[in-house]
């Protein structure tokens, strides 16, 4: 049985118990969320030792880290180092976005090395099939998916919602950037060259059979997500979302766990409406967002633009944030880019959890505040989301009085109020 099928039969699996411990919730609560489809636990039967991660309503907002080799950057060891860094810095999942040649050796090695759930985009293998794109068949696309599932991938992004109807809307529209999704553009190009329907949409029943066999969670990709704030919340994006909502119902009926991906670039006032619309049209499925990136003008700083949007999206109900690094739109990220992207996304996730009242979020902030109130620097570093950076900064600027920092020195408000406190 899949996690979804077990939950519907009233069975609490070991993965549900692990999620319950991590979330500070009762196992029965987790089972009920999974049974409803309001939460997913990506855990492929072939991923030995995968750490159970719950993604969905009322759970801590989770953070995903992208990595993988590309035609210009093929160093496997650097990408493995990114995976190790992500795990060490508290990320909750990895996505292997490799798109160069035979991706399988790297993918299998990554799955063997990490306990984090691993996601992929099987259609990226189109470039390594030894055929021109237009010569690929529906069976070729399905074989890509089956190979990833067999290898132990825990969740897969499938751009099943970009249909021929979407292509017609694309021709009529006024987008600045028609399709910015890499996987979505491959599917769109294939449909245009062959005249056929999207194979992941047309053969969705076969997709479900493959995913059910291995308990792979489907992440329905937003091929038509806006890549510019000008393009946000247009008819093309909404048409795809309506289709994804129908596919959510079909996946659940087949016993397959499913979540839905979302935008993209958009203005601040549009974020709440987009989250509410997704939750409504997609029947409460967990929502996985890239950003949203709230302005187009900050290349080199898009970990910040996305953290702003991600915090708002998660506050309004998004469940899973895909990190964005400073290198977004510019290059493949370095290790330092990855570090900055993880921290920005984790700050956004925690800020949203604090606003939503997720169990444990406020207690963490209170611990930090109390440590500051005592001028307990060791405790402050222990509570810090990233202890390494503030510890280094303090060591680089040593105060004359070790109780304070070099910003205020003897004018430290906390120290002065402690000294001025009435004696018992």
């Amino acid at each position: 049985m899949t996690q979804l099928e077990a939950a519907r039969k009233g069975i609490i699996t070991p993965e549900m118990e692990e999620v319950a411990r991590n979330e500070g919730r009762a196992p029965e609560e987790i089972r009920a969320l999974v049974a409803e489809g309001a939460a997913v636990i990506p855990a492929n039967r072939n991923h030995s030792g995968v750490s159970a991660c719950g993604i969905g309503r009322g759970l801590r907002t989770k953070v995903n880290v992208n990595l993988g080799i590309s035609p210009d950057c093929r160093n496997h060891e650097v990408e493995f180092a990114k995976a190790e860094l992500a795990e060490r810095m508290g990320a909750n999942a990895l996505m292997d976005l490799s798109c160069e040649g035979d991706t399988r050796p790297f993918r299998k090695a990554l799955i063997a090395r990490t306990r984090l759930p691993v996601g992929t985009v099987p259609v990226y293998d189109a470039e390594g099939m030894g055929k021109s794109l237009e010569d690929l068949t529906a069976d070729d696309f399905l074989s890509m998916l089956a190979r990833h599932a067999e290898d132990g991938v825990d969740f897969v992004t499938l751009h099943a919602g970009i249909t021929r109807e979407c292509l017609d809307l694309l021709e009529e529209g006024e987008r600045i950037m028609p399709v910015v999704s890499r996987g979505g553009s491959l599917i769109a190009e294939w449909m245009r060259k062959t005249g056929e329907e999207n194979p992941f949409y047309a053969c969705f029943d076969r997709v479900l059979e493959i995913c059910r066999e291995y308990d792979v969670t489907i992440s329905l990709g937003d091929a038509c997500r806006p890549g510019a704030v000008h393009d946000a919340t247009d008819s093309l994006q909404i048409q795809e979302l309506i289709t994804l909502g129908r596919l959510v119902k079909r996946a659940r009926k087949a016993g397959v766990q499913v979540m839905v991906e979302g935008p993209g670039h958009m203005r601040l006032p549009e974020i709440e409406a987009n989250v509410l619309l997704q939750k409504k049209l997609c029947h409460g499925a967990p929502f996985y967002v890239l950003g949203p990136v709230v302005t187009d003008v900050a290349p080199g700083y898009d970990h910040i633009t996305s953290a702003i949007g991600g915090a708002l999206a998660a506050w309004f109900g998004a469940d899973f944030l895909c990190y964005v690094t400073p290198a977004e739109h510019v290059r493949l990220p370095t290790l330092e880019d990855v570090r900055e992207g993880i921290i920005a996304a984790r700050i956004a996730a925690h800020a949203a959890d604090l606003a939503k009242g997720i169990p444990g979020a406020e207690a963490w902030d209170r611990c930090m505040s109390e440590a500051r109130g005592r001028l307990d620097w060791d405790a402050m570093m222990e509570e810090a989301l990233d202890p390494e950076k503030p510890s280094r900064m303090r060591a680089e600027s040593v105060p004359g009085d070790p109780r304070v920092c070099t910003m205020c020195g003897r004018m430290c408000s906390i120290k002065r109020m402690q000294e001025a406190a009435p004696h018992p």
Side-chain angles (χ1 to χ4, degrees):
M1 290 185 292
T2 64
Q3 295 290 328
L4 177 55
E5 290 171 323
R8 286 175 174 168
K9 291 180 180 291
I11 298 170
I12 295 175
T13 65
E15 290 79 11
M16 295 176 202
E17 291 178 343
E18 183 178 353
V19 170
R21 288 193 299 272
N22 292 339
E23 299 286 337
R25 305 283 292 275
E28 173 57 26
E29 291 181 276
I30 303 302
R31 184 208 63 78
L33 286 169
V34 174
E36 183 185 342
V40 297
I41 304 175
N44 188 314
R45 286 189 251 276
N46 286 357
H47 188 174
S48 178
V50 63
S51 178
C53 173
I55 302 167
R57 190 180 70 216
L59 306 180
R60 287 183 297 107
T61 305
K62 303 306 188 298
V63 170
N64 172 73
V65 168
N66 292 339
L67 47 80
I69 56 174
S70 72
D72 293 310
C73 300
R74 310 180 190 186
N75 190 322
H76 288 199
E77 292 306 317
V78 170
E79 301 309 304
F80 290 141
K82 292 177 185 177
E84 292 167 3
L85 177 65
E87 192 162 354
R88 191 167 67 248
M89 296 194 68
N92 307 107
L94 302 173
M95 282 204 81
D96 172 18
L97 303 187
S98 295
C99 58
E100 166 62 12
D102 182 4
T103 62
R104 197 172 200 182
F106 176 78
R107 177 170 63 252
K108 293 181 74 172
L110 177 65
I111 292 168
R113 282 174 177 235
T114 185
R115 296 185 68 246
L116 296 182
V118 174
T120 58
V121 188
V123 74
Y124 289 176
D125 281 354
E127 294 292 305
M129 292 289 287
K131 298 180 181 180
S132 60
L133 184 63
E134 60 266 32
D135 290 334
L136 294 175
T137 66
D139 284 339
D140 288 327
F141 286 100
L142 292 170
S143 72
M144 297 172 196
L145 170 60
R147 189 180 304 119
H148 285 234
E150 181 184 349
D151 290 345
V153 168
D154 302 291
F155 61 103
V156 289
T157 291
L158 300 178
H159 299 93
I162 181 169
T163 62
R164 294 197 58 77
E165 184 178 5
C166 286
L167 291 190
D168 293 339
L169 285 173
L170 201 56
E171 297 296 336
E172 299 169 5
E174 298 180 352
R175 282 195 164 193
I176 294 174
M177 303 175 71
V179 177
V180 297
S181 160
R182 185 162 54 184
S185 68
L186 286 167
I187 294 291
E189 182 183 354
W190 183 85
M191 286 194 289
R192 278 179 168 165
K193 288 182 174 180
T194 64
E196 296 185 34
E197 183 57 275
N198 180 341
F200 293 121
Y201 177 77
C203 305
F204 197 63
D205 286 338
R206 289 174 65 189
V207 166
L208 294 175
E209 290 173 6
I210 294 168
C211 291
R212 182 183 178 277
E213 180 180 355
Y214 298 93
D215 198 2
V216 174
T217 298
I218 295 176
S219 185
L220 289 169
D222 52 339
C224 300
R225 68 176 179 264
V229 294
H230 170 276
D231 300 338
T233 324
D234 64 357
S235 59
L236 178 61
Q237 180 191 334
I238 303 307
Q239 177 59 50
E240 181 184 36
L241 192 59
I242 292 170
T243 300
L244 297 183
R246 293 197 298 266
L247 297 180
V248 164
K249 295 181 73 173
R250 289 174 62 183
R252 288 175 175 170
K253 185 177 180 180
V256 175
Q257 298 187 95
V258 61
M259 56 186 170
V260 176
E261 298 182 15
H265 292 227
M266 64 178 46
R267 300 171 183 86
L268 288 170
E270 295 177 271
I271 294 175
E272 182 176 15
N274 269 262
V275 175
L276 295 177
L277 194 61
Q278 185 275 344
K279 289 289 185 176
K280 184 71 172 180
L281 293 177
C282 296
H283 316 288
F287 197 17
Y288 176 20
V289 295
L290 178 69
V293 175
V294 296
T295 176
D296 299 338
V297 301
Y301 299 93
D302 278 320
H303 59 311
I304 298 173
T305 63
S306 68
I308 294 169
L312 285 175
W315 180 21
F316 296 134
D319 309 286
F320 195 19
L321 304 182
C322 186
Y323 92 146
V324 174
T325 77
E328 185 78 5
H329 304 110
V330 179
R331 68 176 185 199
L332 194 76
T334 64
L335 271 172
E336 185 55 32
D337 293 332
V338 168
R339 175 185 290 275
E340 291 190 43
I342 293 170
I343 292 300
R346 287 199 60 205
I347 291 170
H350 178 66
D353 289 349
L354 191 62
K356 290 188 290 188
I358 297 297
E362 186 173 351
W364 185 9
D365 277 62
R366 186 178 180 88
C367 286
M368 174 60 87
S369 297
E370 289 177 347
R372 284 179 174 155
R374 299 190 307 269
L375 290 176
D376 185 340
W377 292 95
D378 290 339
M380 283 186 246
M381 299 307 141
E382 288 177 7
E383 296 296 338
L385 188 145
D386 174 22
E388 182 179 319
K389 185 173 184 178
S391 296
R392 184 181 70 248
M393 294 170 78
R394 183 159 171 81
E396 291 171 348
S397 186
V398 180
D401 181 346
R403 291 176 296 172
V404 300
C405 75
T406 55
M407 175 177 281
C408 299
R410 64 185 180 185
M411 292 188 68
C412 172
S413 59
I414 298 171
K415 174 177 175 288
R416 294 177 79 91
M417 292 306 295
Q418 286 178 347
E419 292 174 347
H423 293 288

